[in-house]
């Protein structure tokens, strides 16, 4: 087995690994370490669960592509679809080159601090203990202030990591999460973003801004350490990334939408906003269901394991994801139907209500009761309706509602941990703090402060730098297409292809009868 | 581990759990109970298998959405897609509130009856032994007649169940099955059902009618007990729900189609039927492939385990699902091509042939040989063609063929168990009867009676009550849209949105050249 | 457990099975055989991994359907979608009848040759040791020349195999791989192939040509034995089928495209080629993402196990699949943008670049470093651009680029193993050769010869016989539709249905206002 490089290290860390893998009383009482076979089977189940989750998250790219394209116009179909397909390709390369190293290159840097469960030699390291032994890997910070990590510095091009199955699978899993963040701004800047500007944006997200901010919460960074080092609950707790993925993506989306400006005609001279419908509701709703499906990889998969207590967390995450997404959809549909603006069960708002519920439950999914998941979802469905109206008032044009869904509900989800986390004992030792994750309703008074720190610091950092980044793109004239191209649609000029070409027909043949698109000669039953 | 609440209960029931988990001679011979680690790993594999299966079943919602929308008209796209997206959201909430409790709230009620494998203290309980210990949970019937359970009464809002990973994962799995049943009637009532009527229907299915009838077969109810208590084979045997899911859904669909009446223009004055083609075959066929894909979660996942004998059942179910679906498609295509009505390989009938084969194999998938799966599939492909013609004769308008696919082939699948079940020893102790599930062809003479009881009682109960339910909706004027709305299409009036809006363009700008939808300027290769 | 038929065989082969399942020093040092429970759990994890991979590969059929239909014309939508849906149904039946038996019916025929790890009684058998004991099953060759197997001869209709879960799951996995090969030629012959000719082609691929050639590499055949018997490296090494699936499919596609001839109007009298755009880029790109998603079952699933060293191979395969697909897309997009033909980031070439990268990494995915996967992907993106231009020059019309993607990059992938394979110790004993798989860059000088043998022999055999086969179809007038039908579109004449019918409206009613497709009355927000 490749991942057992040095047998002595393995033996040393076995107790550590097992301590959390089998935190149950039943097993703890035995006292004897599990056999090699049991360790191997445990790793098999844990890594299988996580990597299948990663595949599902990858598939969410199809959902984003369809939602964004379905809710934008015919004349920009090729451009919007291509952004969604290529953001993954470009991002994968960027993340492999430097992103992963920035985000997780110091995840195992041992801090001279509180000794907790999982500690080797009295120090704390964060690499997911469910995925096998990573001792000595990913332990080189580039920037660190005392106990507060800021930027990782090993694992560039996956170098120096060997063929450690746990680390490689973790890379794949993190890569598709980064991709989710990177695809969000393509929605808020759709129908006017230059394709070359999109390429730069993809590199910006995958190589720089996402890895840095994401590392603060998941890579052993300073937000994660606010519990151990500053006494704020368990530090910033974000199970699957309401903050890391969605708030980051949403903050970039907001900066982009502001800098690039609204689409021609979105706002009237009197300040009122026009509705610009998308071209294909079937694709938009198909994309929504695909996103919901993929979210079952996103949230439950973030347990990074399925043996022992990690299985409990995964299953709770699955149920809560289900209920919050459903509740968000019901809530937004009811709001639109009863309150407005259309007084009908509006499809577009229902779509965004579902997505809002899913975004909001992403951070708290493993920490809250089912009823709390329903409440979180119901609230998020209203938030998304309000935020959509708010953006119109602020004259910010966000064609697919990326900001209401991901920024507003990402923030709501991070804060919800600090309110609803129920102190489930399975979450003890989270981020190296011995107590379980506990929110306001259950007597945890400081967790909400760590959550507030995550929301404010990530938003300020990501929004601020991305605003500057987009200003630079604009200065170099690679951000927004010309007025002519925008009115004509970006497809012909930017992509050299349209979404739905009419049938090409040979010109020089004496065609007996050429078909017409849409011609209906269907004599058969359609049942 | 949360699900080990009382250690003594666990130890007591360990032998019970293992008795079926390891029914193989090899393991049985050891005599020693497996270690805690082995039990934990076993639960990990079993629950992982089931919950991934549940995710796949969830994704079937996308398939239903596309099949129904693809095979209905452009003017009702927003309405049909929205029904398919929201049925899940509304149903999830309804099932969480009361449906799960009605269906499974008494699954563990101990009946003073035959002592069998799996019995605790000489009594019988049904909770899936592959998913860990549920002792004491879900054991409160609301209605029971002697040994014949009728309605469960615990687990409302998942209350009182704790964080038992097995139970929670089971809830998710059952929830998506209910959703499948609930989405079927949206097909038979498409293009004329008021959206508010759809909302009531979703609640009716998720909270009332599906849980009651489904509990009879899966929740420890009276049909399931016909073997132990009345000597009819192994009682009603329905591996993944030809009866529970599809026959229930199909019976509701039939009642709905009759009460709501045919679409305007479907039947001519001379009694002949018009074919009303759908608007998008690409989406319809994509949906069919998605449904086939999801069915690999539906059927194999219903083994509720992947260790020991349960793996055998899961894999056999997978192969049979594959072959019956394929055979159904081949059979219906050949029938349409050779017999008619079109004398061509009709796409719509081929689609429904595949779905018919999948529905029919759902009950018997784990009990029959591969050749039998092929036969079942071939027959179902013909059944669906005949049933489609029959409905036309009866002047029942079912736009997407929900009744021929789900009702007729659901019934055929349930009966097929009684004919083809091969007495596989892995199915011994099914429903608490010691002998294996055995059909007519293998000498089991009473199994078919239990299957007939399932078909007739479920159909009569579900169709009858649903007929009344829809009549009530009609009386309150919330069932069918007005003639004007139906002719115009339901999208504008009911949903406030159309499926495929033409590109919105700014009115007050001097556009240099506005793109035309369908404009082809593609100069590039499409290879 | 059904698959333990004869206990003494099981005990005998247990050491064999475990020898490779636990090839790690840690376990090997113990010396004691694992317990029955550990064996069962190991099989559970391995088979679960493979069968979930099989489900993902099945879903690729949706991807092929969308790519092929999206990149062909409106007037052939029903025909192209139906081919993609029915190729699976027809192929499943054909493969079940004879294909599997031809391909794998002699996989366990013991050859009197080198004794290696995994040998029973000094002889070598190939059945996947990760999936349990297959002793005595699938061991009957129809044609064998000394050590060189040519054609299997047992397992027709899965007969004689019992309910061995490992074998049945393996059948499902192999069936969906065959389906991938069978669907490739429907792309190169799209828009002019008679549907009855397509049916014959499906049977040809599933029953004859794929099983024979595929068996040479995976079924214990002569290419696989070139290492043991002729000293060429580890024999032909093809982890997931760049050669077996894609080169076979691509060779059939090329033969078909040549025999059927170009579409009317594709080539001008001066020899230049016209671009015939497809009708729906959204579907084409959605299909591409679905294919990428399914490839995570295709490649990583081909480890056929997830315990011990097989997990390492699976995870490495996953990472490399990710990176090569992404690199192929980046490379083709950059090529089209910088070099041409459009000097824009062409969507169609980007799509085929991604697919080319995925095809090329399919054979080497488990044998190469990540950087090599990136290189292989970058090269394949350029190959696909060149090959597309080459086909135009040769006047071969391949509407969706099946030949550039699958044939050219399939060959490139097979050869890449001989160049980049890094001698990972986990690949020792591959194909019964004790040394690890090692390419030119790592000092393995003969592996490339085995790879060349795979490419040339498969191409010559498959292309040659398929050419004859299509000529026969042409002679019987069942290959190509008439000129009239082709110009009108195949949908009406061949399928009796069109892809996108206009809304049917009742003729005899006084409609108040009939909706118009594309009518936009959307008053709501689309955010």
């Amino acid at each position: 087995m490749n991942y057992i490089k040095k047998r002595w290290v393995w033996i040393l860390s076995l107790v550590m690994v097992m301590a959390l893998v089998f935190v149950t009383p039943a097993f703890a009482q035995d006292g004897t370490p599990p056999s090699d076979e049991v360790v191997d089977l445990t790793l098999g189940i844990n890594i299988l669960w996580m990597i299948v989750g990663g595949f599902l998250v990858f598939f969410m790219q199809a959902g984003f592509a369809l939602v964004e394209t379905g809710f934008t116009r015919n004349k920009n179909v090729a451009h919007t679809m291509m952004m969604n397909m290529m953001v993954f390709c470009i991002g994968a390369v960027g993340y492999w080159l430097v992103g992963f190293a920035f985000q997780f290159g110091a995840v195992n840097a041992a801090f001279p601090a509180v000794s907790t469960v999982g500690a080797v030699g009295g120090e704390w390291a964060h690499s997911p203990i469910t995925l096998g032994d990573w001792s000595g890997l990913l332990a080189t910070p580039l920037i660190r202030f005392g106990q507060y990590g800021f930027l990782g510095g090993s694992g560039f091009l996956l170098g120096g990591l060997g063929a450690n199955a746990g680390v490689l699978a973790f890379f794949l899993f993190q890569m598709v999460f980064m991709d989710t963040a990177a695809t969000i701004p393509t929605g808020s800047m759709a129908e006017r973003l230059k394709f070359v500007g999109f390429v730069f944006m993809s590199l910006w997200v995958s190589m720089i801004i996402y890895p840095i901010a994401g590392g603060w919460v998941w890579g052993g960074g300073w937000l994660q350490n606010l519990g151990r080092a500053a006494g704020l609950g368990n530090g910033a707790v974000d199970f699957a990334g309401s903050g890391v993925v969605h708030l980051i993506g949403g903050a970039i989306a907001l900066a982009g939408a502001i800098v690039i400006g609204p689409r021609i005609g979105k706002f009237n001279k009197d300040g009122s906003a026009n509705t610009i419908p998308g071209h294909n509701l079937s694709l938009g709703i198909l994309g929504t269901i695909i996103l919901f499906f993929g979210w079952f990889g996103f949230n439950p998969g973030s347990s990074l394991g399925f043996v022992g207590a990690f299985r409990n967390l995964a299953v709770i995450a699955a149920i809560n994801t289900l209920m919050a997404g459903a509740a968000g959809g019901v809530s937004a549909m009811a709001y639109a139907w009863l309150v407005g603006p259309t007084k009908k069960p509006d499809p577009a708002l229902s779509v965004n209500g579902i997505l809002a519920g899913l975004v909001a439950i992403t951070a708290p999914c493993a920490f809250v009761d089912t009823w709390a998941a329903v409440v979180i979802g119901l609230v998020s469905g209203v938030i998304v309706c309000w935020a959509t109206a708010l953006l119109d008032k602020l004259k910010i044009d966000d064609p697919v509602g990326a900001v209401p869904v991901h920024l507003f509900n990402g923030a709501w989800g991070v804060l919800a941990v600090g309110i609803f986390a129920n102190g489930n004992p399975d979450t003890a030792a989270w981020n190296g703090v011995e107590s379980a994750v506990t929110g306001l309703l259950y007597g945890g008074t400081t967790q909400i402060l760590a959550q507030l720190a995550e929301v404010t610091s990530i938003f300020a950092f990501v929004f601020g730098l991305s605003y500057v980044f987009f200003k630079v793109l604009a200065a170099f004239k690679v951000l927004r297409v010309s007025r002519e191209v925008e009115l004509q649609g970006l497809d012909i000029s930017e992509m050299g292809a349209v979404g739905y070409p009419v049938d090409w027909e040979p010109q020089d043949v004496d065609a007996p009868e050429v078909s017409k698109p849409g011609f209906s000669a269907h004599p058969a039953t359609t049942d």
Side-chain angles (χ1 to χ4, degrees), chain A:
Chain A
M1 223 176 300
N2 272 0
Y3 55 79
I4 304 177
K5 281 291 163 52
K6 307 166 207 154
R7 191 163 162 79
W8 66 269
V9 171
W10 180 246
I11 290 167
L12 248 177
S13 58
L14 206 64
V15 180
M16 171 188 91
V17 171
M18 288 307 116
L20 256 181
V21 173
F22 303 110
V23 288
T24 72
F27 296 173
Q29 286 167 13
D30 300 5
T32 57
S35 67
D36 289 349
E37 286 99 336
V38 166
V39 172
D40 189 53
L41 292 168
T42 299
L43 288 177
I45 294 171
N46 285 344
I47 296 178
L48 191 156
W49 172 249
M50 184 186 67
I51 205 168
V52 169
F55 300 162
L56 289 177
V57 176
F58 173 87
F59 188 43
M60 290 173 68
Q61 190 64 63
F64 281 111
L66 293 177
V67 168
E68 291 186 12
T69 306
F71 286 116
T72 51
R73 282 170 290 180
N74 197 318
K75 63 184 178 181
N76 299 311
V77 161
H79 180 262
T80 312
M81 286 302 290
M82 268 293 279
M83 286 201 299
N84 275 279
M85 183 172 79
M86 295 312 297
V87 73
F88 175 81
C89 296
I90 298 165
V93 174
Y95 195 70
W96 170 68
L97 286 172
V98 301
F100 183 69
F102 284 166
Q103 186 172 9
F104 291 102
V107 72
N108 260 339
F111 299 153
V114 184
S115 170
T116 67
V117 175
V120 184
E123 294 186 337
W124 178 68
H126 176 68
S127 68
I129 56 173
T130 52
L131 306 176
D133 182 33
W134 296 9
S135 303
L137 304 178
L138 299 171
T140 312
L142 277 185
I143 305 179
R144 189 214 301 194
F145 304 102
Q147 296 185 36
Y148 298 104
F150 192 85
L151 191 67
S154 67
F156 297 98
L157 293 83
L158 292 175
L161 301 175
N164 186 312
V167 174
L168 292 181
F170 186 71
F171 167 81
L172 185 143
F173 195 71
Q174 295 299 336
M175 152 62 210
V176 291
F177 275 64
M178 179 287 298
D179 175 51
T180 299
T183 209
I184 292 169
T186 64
S188 75
M189 294 188 280
E191 306 203 288
R192 57 217 194 274
L193 177 61
K194 263 196 178 172
F195 202 79
V196 67
F198 151 77
V199 171
F200 285 118
M201 188 274 287
S202 301
L203 295 173
W204 166 250
V205 178
S206 63
M207 298 173 82
I208 310 291
I209 194 72
Y210 176 87
I212 296 176
W216 295 352
V217 183
W218 286 349
W222 68 274
L223 283 166
Q224 195 167 16
N225 256 334
L226 286 179
R228 285 193 324 116
L232 300 184
N234 289 62
V237 167
D238 193 345
F239 193 73
S242 290
V244 172
V245 176
H246 297 284
L247 197 146
I248 290 181
I252 303 167
L254 178 62
I258 291 174
V259 175
I260 203 171
R263 289 168 292 176
I264 298 170
K266 173 68 186 174
F267 296 106
N268 301 316
K269 281 163 192 169
D270 63 358
S272 62
N274 293 307
T275 294
I276 304 181
H279 83 288
N280 195 319
L281 192 60
S282 297
L283 295 185
I285 287 184
L286 171 60
T288 306
I289 302 176
I290 289 175
L291 284 171
F292 207 143
F293 174 54
W295 234 288
F296 288 117
F298 208 95
N299 288 3
S302 290
S303 69
L304 307 181
F306 210 76
V307 173
F310 298 100
R311 179 170 60 255
N312 296 348
L313 298 181
V315 171
I316 292 170
I319 298 283
N320 286 342
T321 301
L322 176 79
M323 294 310 302
V330 167
S331 154
M333 182 187 81
Y335 188 93
W337 208 347
L338 302 174
V339 180
T342 58
K343 298 272 184 185
K344 293 186 198 291
D346 184 68
L349 282 177
S350 302
V351 159
N352 277 355
I354 289 173
L355 299 180
L358 293 168
V359 167
I361 202 63
T362 295
C365 59
F367 304 110
V368 302
D369 291 332
T370 312
W371 68 262
V374 173
V375 171
I376 291 169
L378 290 172
V379 170
S380 66
V382 177
I383 290 177
V384 84
C385 294
W386 286 349
T388 301
L390 179 67
L391 283 192
D392 273 358
K393 237 176 240 176
L394 298 175
K395 296 213 184 355
I396 298 168
D397 181 17
D398 175 7
V400 301
V403 173
V405 168
H406 298 281
L407 178 62
F408 281 78
N409 283 287
W412 161 234
V414 173
L415 297 178
V417 175
I419 300 168
F420 296 99
N422 60 9
N424 177 352
D426 284 338
T427 65
W430 206 271
N431 286 343
V433 174
E434 291 200 24
S435 57
V437 181
T438 311
L440 283 173
L441 294 182
Y442 296 83
T445 51
T446 57
Q447 186 61 47
I448 189 75
L449 299 176
Q451 304 304 109
L452 271 168
E454 181 182 343
V455 169
T456 51
S457 67
I458 286 187
F459 177 75
F461 179 78
V462 173
F463 177 81
L465 285 191
S466 297
Y467 188 89
V468 173
F469 171 76
F470 288 120
K471 280 287 189 191
V472 171
L473 290 192
F476 281 94
K477 311 265 183 215
V478 292
L479 189 65
R480 182 162 184 158
V481 297
S482 70
R483 178 181 177 80
E484 286 70 31
V485 168
E486 185 178 342
L487 286 169
Q488 185 196 41
L490 280 65
D491 281 359
I492 295 166
S493 166
E494 287 283 301
M495 315 311 299
V498 296
Y500 310 110
V502 296
D503 275 7
W504 182 93
E505 298 292 350
Q507 298 303 317
D508 55 346
V509 294
D510 43 341
E513 184 190 6
V514 174
S515 79
K516 300 289 177 295
F519 178 75
S520 176
H522 190 81
T525 174
T526 56
D527 302 31

